[in-house]
Amino acid sequence: MGEATGNPSDDAVDSATEAEDKKVALLIAILALFLALSESGAKTAEHLSTEKNIEASDLFNFYQAKRRRSTVVETAAQSMEATAQGVTDEKTKAAVEKQIADWKSKVANFEKDEKNPEDSLDRIQERAKEAGEVRERSNHKLEHFEYASGALQIAIVLASAAIITAMPILAWISGLLGLIGAILMAFGYLAPTILTFLG
């Protein structure tokens, strides 16, 4: 009779343990999903950051080169203007004035390119600034995703340990870390500039 009453109790314990293990296994599956999303977000952010860093650098170099050329042409025009005063021959004077006008036109074109507005000096600066801002935003995202991935990886390890050791406290800590990781990941996708201390 003692044997008959003992078996249902053992079955109940086994069932409860199995149910707990299933819950923890489900937790691990959810954590793994969040980890995959976080890793994917990190790769995208890293790629975009690199791309925009190169773009900003190229635009800055383009701006510098164009500014130097503009300065050289402007200096040449000013020098010729200074010497043009002493020219008495009308034909030569007309040629000199035409050259000065061409150079001034070229300088104005560097400042504001009518044919290619995107290549105007001001617009190049704006584009470089925009690329820099996107790069910074991507870096903020990357920071969030990296912290999220770290928290989620530790959470998965703790959840696995909870099954092996049958210590429910590990599953609770795992769940808490998983929640923190999920929140960080969500900030990475939706609002990467809110938690400024992460970037």
Side-chain angles (χ1 to χ4, degrees), residues 5-195:
T5 55
N7 282 338
S9 175
D10 287 346
D11 288 345
V13 169
D14 287 345
S15 295
T17 304
E18 193 178 330
E20 279 300 313
D21 287 351
K22 281 182 179 176
K23 285 178 187 173
V24 177
L26 178 61
L27 175 63
I28 291 171
I30 293 167
L31 292 171
L33 172 64
F34 284 150
L35 179 59
L37 290 171
S38 185
E39 292 289 333
S40 173
K43 281 179 187 172
T44 303
E46 187 174 19
H47 176 73
L48 187 58
S49 174
T50 304
E51 186 183 297
K52 289 300 175 180
N53 189 46
I54 293 167
E55 184 182 336
S57 179
D58 287 348
L59 285 166
F60 179 73
N61 290 335
F62 183 35
Y63 174 85
Q64 292 290 80
K66 206 163 183 182
R67 174 58 75 192
R68 275 194 295 270
R69 284 174 63 199
S70 174
T71 303
V72 168
V73 173
E74 190 173 11
T75 304
Q78 287 169 352
S79 298
M80 192 169 272
E81 267 183 323
T83 57
Q85 307 297 328
V87 177
T88 52
D89 181 54
E90 288 301 318
K91 207 171 184 181
T92 307
K93 193 170 189 176
V96 168
E97 284 174 357
K98 184 181 182 306
Q99 183 60 65
I100 291 168
D102 285 347
W103 279 340
K104 284 186 174 180
S105 173
K106 197 172 272 189
V107 169
N109 192 54
F110 282 129
E111 294 292 335
K112 189 161 186 175
D113 195 328
E114 297 295 337
K115 289 182 182 175
N116 301 303
E118 290 295 297
D119 289 343
S120 299
L121 284 170
D122 285 349
R123 186 62 192 125
I124 294 169
Q125 262 192 324
E126 285 171 18
R127 285 163 59 202
K129 188 182 174 188
E130 286 163 11
E133 285 170 358
V134 174
R135 179 196 60 213
E136 288 307 308
R137 186 176 173 83
S138 296
N139 286 340
H140 282 297
K141 285 186 172 192
L142 184 57
E143 288 289 328
H144 282 74
F145 290 134
E146 284 178 345
Y147 281 113
S149 293
L152 290 163
Q153 285 169 0
I154 294 168
I156 288 170
V157 170
L158 288 175
S160 302
I163 292 175
I164 296 164
T165 61
M167 291 177 65
I169 187 70
L170 292 178
W172 282 102
I173 296 170
S174 169
L176 181 62
L177 272 175
L179 180 62
I180 291 168
I183 290 168
L184 286 171
M185 180 189 68
F187 276 129
Y189 277 111
L190 304 172
T193 54
I194 286 180
L195 302 177

